[in-house]
Amino acid sequence: MDRIFSGIQPSGEIHIGNYVGAIRNWVQLVNRYDCVYCVVDYHAITIEYEVALLQQRILETATILVACGLTPDRCKLFVQSHVPEHTELAWIFNCVTPVGELERMTQFKEKGRQHRHNVNVGLLDYPVLQAADILIYKAGNVPVGEDQVQHVEFSREIARKFNARFGDTFPEPKVILSDAPRILGTDGNAKMSKSLNNAVGLLEPPEAIWEKLRTAATCEHRQRRSDPGHPEHCNIFTMHQAFSKPDQIAFVDHNCRTAGFGCIECKEILFKNMMGEIGPIQSRVKEINQNPQYMVDVLKSGAARCKAIAAEVMDEVREKIGVKSGWMSQR
Ligand code: ATP
Ligand code: MG
């Protein structure tokens, strides 16, 4: 079976953009691929964070993944820092990566603007570590949201550069997009993000979710109830496409365009469908939390399985770049 890798940062509350853009797709792929999924904690420290909160965020993120269906019988789930080969390979990749190309990455520019006071080398180097995450498992496919397409393409370039310099070693990974690859935030402007204040959290209580949806931006052309709307310009409609059934999507589309109903009625339908899907996930998270040892076991065994693959690939890489230490033991 071909292998897949993807990761999620423990950088804040997991939101519905992460869910429909990535996690739900990850679950759908488990039967067709050998899937490796990772809570990428070393990525999350590239922006400011609360040290005391990080452990809890890592565990919460992993618990959500399991609650969504990524159980250890269906995939390998682990925490990035538990398999240090990721950072070791990233260093080697640093040495085949031109700085200028990293400076051109959209995420670096955006996060650099958001965190002006802390534009650290890790933030610039983020795509190199991401390439190492993927390639340490020789994964050929990477299911991500649209915002990460550029980084996956960049990992293809790194694979190509490494292979050209040291011999054929890594595949060139391809992107797999979900059917909802870009959900905007409640502001209707920026991508919904954990680190911006525009997200609908997957674990938020229903009342809080409704309040966020109720006040969320809709199609800007629809100022009054009687104005016909343009679903193709409305983030609420994008969410309907992610959470509602085809007949309801058609119903919403028609009533929006003809001013047949108001935005609140449209949002009520969305809210009901969204809770129908994420309500059971919230219940499973509560169940898993009843037995804290379970997640410890899942993450330990996930790390052990991944470490076995990563160590082998690192051996091959060390040999290829000329630093393998076998010659010392022969003396
Ligand atoms: P941060 O703001 O800290 O970068 P994030 O919300 O962007 O957090 P990540 O952990 O960086 O989340 O991304 C995890 C996965 O979720 C990636 O595959 C990413 O492409 C996807 N994703 C993130 N935001 C969205 C979104 N708004 N719509 C669709 N997919 C998304
Ligand atoms: Mg992100």
Side-chain angles (χ1 to χ4, degrees), residues 219 229-235 237-238 241 252-254 256-257:
C219 156
H230 300 270
E232 65 278 15
H233 297 306
C234 181
N235 191 39
F237 186 69
T238 310
Q241 289 174 311
V252 165
D253 183 282
H254 175 76
C256 177
R257 284 183 200 286

Side-chain angles (χ1 to χ4, degrees), residues 9 11 15 17-18 111 144-145 147 181 183 191-192 194-195:
Q9 300 188 75
S11 50
H15 53 75
N18 299 134
K111 296 224 164 170
V144 285
D147 64 300
I183 301 288
K191 172 189 93 71
M192 187 176 283
K194 280 187 241 102
S195 46

Side-chain angles (χ1 to χ4, degrees), residues 83-328:
V83 181
E85 281 81 357
H86 289 234
T87 37
E88 188 177 355
L89 183 59
W91 178 256
I92 294 163
F93 284 170
N94 276 334
C95 303
V96 297
T97 305
V99 175
E101 291 186 20
L102 288 173
E103 285 166 340
R104 280 198 286 277
M105 292 288 124
T106 305
Q107 177 177 291
F108 173 65
K109 289 193 219 157
E110 278 177 10
K111 296 224 164 170
R113 273 194 293 274
Q114 285 163 22
H115 304 275
R116 261 178 226 285
H117 53 289
N118 182 24
V119 183
N120 58 77
V121 176
L123 197 61
L124 177 70
D125 208 29
Y126 188 112
V128 177
L129 180 55
Q130 187 169 345
D133 296 334
I134 299 164
L135 295 172
I136 193 79
Y137 302 105
K138 297 193 174 183
N141 296 280
V142 189
V144 285
E146 200 176 75
D147 64 300
Q148 290 301 317
V149 170
Q150 190 182 42
H151 285 173
V152 179
E153 279 168 2
F154 191 66
S155 74
R156 297 167 63 83
E157 262 179 62
I158 292 186
R160 222 174 289 143
K161 287 203 169 83
F162 184 96
N163 291 347
R165 172 80 177 84
F166 300 109
D168 202 20
T169 311
F170 296 111
E172 290 181 23
K174 294 188 197 65
V175 169
I176 300 179
L177 283 182
S178 79
D179 45 18
R182 180 175 160 84
I183 301 288
L184 296 181
T186 46
D187 50 9
N189 289 321
K191 172 189 93 71
M192 187 176 283
S193 283
K194 280 187 241 102
S195 46
L196 298 176
N197 188 21
N198 68 355
V200 176
L202 203 61
L203 298 189
E204 286 192 71
E207 317 78 63
I209 293 184
W210 169 244
E211 193 48 30
K212 286 189 177 174
L213 290 182
R214 189 183 69 76
T215 53
T218 54
C219 156
E220 60 185 357
H221 305 287
R222 201 163 183 208
Q223 301 294 342
R224 287 166 305 227
R225 165 77 172 72
S226 53
D227 291 340
H230 300 270
E232 65 278 15
H233 297 306
C234 181
N235 191 39
I236 296 295
F237 186 69
T238 310
M239 293 190 206
H240 266 295
Q241 289 174 311
F243 286 102
S244 301
K245 297 217 161 61
D247 56 334
Q248 277 174 321
I249 297 171
F251 174 81
V252 165
D253 183 282
H254 175 76
N255 279 290
C256 177
R257 284 183 200 286
T258 56
F261 63 17
C263 291
I264 288 293
E265 285 153 284
C266 175
K267 288 173 169 180
E268 278 167 354
I269 302 172
L270 172 65
F271 174 64
K272 185 163 169 283
N273 295 339
M274 194 181 278
M275 288 317 302
E277 188 159 343
I278 68 178
I281 296 172
Q282 296 187 344
S283 309
R284 275 198 296 281
V285 166
K286 285 192 188 125
E287 268 167 46
I288 296 169
N289 286 340
Q290 300 289 311
N291 175 10
Q293 188 59 35
Y294 173 74
M295 282 310 300
V296 174
D297 294 343
V298 167
L299 294 175
K300 269 193 182 165
S301 78
R305 288 157 80 199
C306 290
K307 170 102 190 162
I309 306 168
E312 215 171 282
V313 174
M314 264 324 292
D315 258 357
E316 183 188 348
V317 168
R318 281 191 214 103
E319 170 111 49
K320 287 202 163 136
I321 68 165
V323 301
K324 195 161 181 191
S325 57
W327 57 273
M328 285 182 74

